[in-house]
Amino acid sequence: MPVAIVTLKSTEHQQDLIIQRPTSGLSLQGRLRVPGDKSISHRALMLGALAQGETEIQGLLIGEDPRSTAACFRALGAEISELNTEYVRVQGIGLGQLQEPADVLNAGNSGTTLRLMLGILASHPGRFFTVTGDSSLRSRPMSRVVKPLQQMLAQIWGRQGGTLAPLAIQGQQLQPIKYHSPIASAQVKSCILLAGLMAEGKTTVTEPALSRDHSERMLQGFGASLSIDPETHSVTILGPAQLQGQSVIVPGDISSAAFWLVAGAVVPGSEICIENVGVNPTRTGILEALSMMGADITLENQRVVAGEPVADLRVRCRGGGTLPLQACEIAGDVIPRLIDEIPILAVAAIFAKGTTVIRDAAELRVKESDRIAVIASELNRLGAKVTELPDGLEISGGTTLTGTDVDSHTDHRIAMSLAIAALNATGTTTIHRAEAAAISYPDFFQSLIGVAMGNE
Ligand code: S3P
C-alpha cells in the first residue's frame, strides 16, 4: 500500500515537519487514541489543588499547556506528582489556602491557565501574585476576565489599563455578582465561577450561547453547589464552597480527534477508529458540521466516564474521484461548540463541493494566533481558495493542493491542520515550526506516521 513519507527535521529552536505524499493510492487506516482533553486536564489540576485531600487524575494530557498549569499550582503550594498519563496525584491545600509564590507565575502559551487562575488568585485575600505568559499570551485580551473580576472588587493591574499580561493581583475578599458575558466563552464563565467559590452568596454568569461546561460538571463533582438554567445559559455558584478531592478520568480530546476525523473523511479509501473520545454535547459541534458535510462518522461504544460522555469514533471515506464532502454554512450557536476545530474544518471544506461559509467566529482572531488570517494565508499557499471574512472564512471547495513551505505561526492547531491538508497535497509540504503541536498533542507526529502506514 502506498504510504506518505513523514519526516521531522529538528534544529535547536524549531522542528519542520515534511510530508511527502505518494503519487497515488494513499489511504489512512488504523485505530488510535488521542491524548487527554486539554480543558478537563487544566480543571482537574486546578480543582485538585483547591480541594481538601487527594485528587487522582487518570488520562491527563501531558502537553505544554497542562504543564504550565501544574507548574503554577506547584508554585502556589499544591503538591502535584510527576505528570504522566497513567496516574497523577494532587495533594490539595484547600480553598483560600494558596501560598504567595516567590516568583512570577508563568502560564506559557495557555489562555485557559491564565484566565481561570486569575479568578482563583483574585479571591485569595492578603496575598500578592504576578502572572505572565509567552509572547502570544501576552498579546491576548484579558479585559474579558479582568472587568467582571473588578466588578467583584478584585484588584488587578497590568499593561494597557490592566488588560494585557503581565498582570499583578492583590487578592481580596470578593463580592458575588450577576454577570452577563457579552461572549460565549468557557474561560470567562469558569474564571467567574472559580472566583465565586470564595465570595459569600450567589455568583451568576449568563452567556449568550452555551460554551463548554466542563467546569460546571467538575465543580459539582468536587462538591460545589451549582444551579444551572439551560434556557438562559446561566450558571450560579454558591459561596463559600468546600471542595473535596476526587478521582478524575480524563477522556480523549475531541479537538485532537478532529484532525483524524477530517483526515479520515477526506483521504479516499480511509477508515480510522479513534477510541475513547469525550463527546460532551458542548464540544460536539465538529461532529454536527462534518455530518452536515456528508462525512461518514459513527459513534460506537457510547458510555459515561467520571461524569463525561465518551465514545469511539469511526470515520470512513469512500474511494473514487469526486469530492468526498458537501459545502455547508457554519454560524450561530454551534460556533462555541466547535471554536477550536475551525482551522481543521477549513481544511475539510477544501474537499467539499461548493463554497463553505463560516461566520460568527471573530473570537478566532484572538486565539493562540489570529486563526482567521493564518489559516487563510497558509492554506492559500498550498493552492486553496480561502477568503477572510471579518468574523470567519469562505472556502471554495475543489481546488488542487500542491506541496510547498507553510508555517504554523507557533499555533498548535494550525500546525496539525496543515499536516492534514498536506496529506492531500501533491508532492512535498514542509510545515515550519511544527513543534507547536506539543501544546495539546505531543505524539501527533507518531500518530500521523502510524495512520499513514496503516498500522497504528
Ligand atoms: C477553553 C475555552 C475556549 C477554547 C480553549 C479552551 C477552556 O476558549 O477555545 O481552547 O478550556 O475553557 P474561550 O473560552 O476563549 O472560547
Side-chain angles (χ1 to χ4, degrees), residues 38-39 43 112 115 144 185-187 212 339-340 367:
K38 183 156 80 66
S39 294
R43 287 158 173 80
T112 308
R115 294 196 177 117
R144 56 185 58 200
S185 157
Q187 293 179 355
R212 63 193 67 191
I339 188 76
D340 291 338
K367 293 289 179 190

Side-chain angles (χ1 to χ4, degrees), residues 4 26 73 107 112 126 134 150 223 237 310 364 375 416 421 446:
L26 171 71
F73 281 83
T112 308
D134 69 6
Q150 285 171 336
I237 190 161
V310 176
L364 287 181
I375 199 70
M416 293 184 276
Q446 286 81 347

Side-chain angles (χ1 to χ4, degrees), residues 73-158:
F73 281 83
R74 282 184 184 126
L76 290 162
E79 257 180 58
I80 301 174
S81 66
E82 198 189 314
L83 301 191
N84 63 64
T85 53
E86 304 292 305
Y87 174 81
V88 173
R89 191 183 62 83
V90 183
Q91 184 62 50
I93 45 182
L95 262 181
Q97 302 304 315
L98 294 183
Q99 294 162 15
E100 188 175 89
D103 206 345
V104 179
L105 297 165
N106 193 334
N109 190 244
S110 174
T112 308
T113 307
L114 185 45
R115 294 196 177 117
L116 269 58
M117 191 166 64
L118 275 177
I120 296 171
L121 302 179
S123 58
H124 269 70
R127 268 146 277 184
F128 180 75
F129 309 94
T130 47
V131 294
T132 192
D134 69 6
S135 60
S136 150
L137 188 55
R138 279 184 274 119
S139 68
R140 294 178 66 187
M142 292 300 142
S143 47
R144 56 185 58 200
V145 287
V146 169
K147 268 196 195 153
L149 288 174
Q150 285 171 336
Q151 287 176 24
M152 298 176 84
L153 302 184
Q155 289 195 13
I156 301 172
W157 300 267

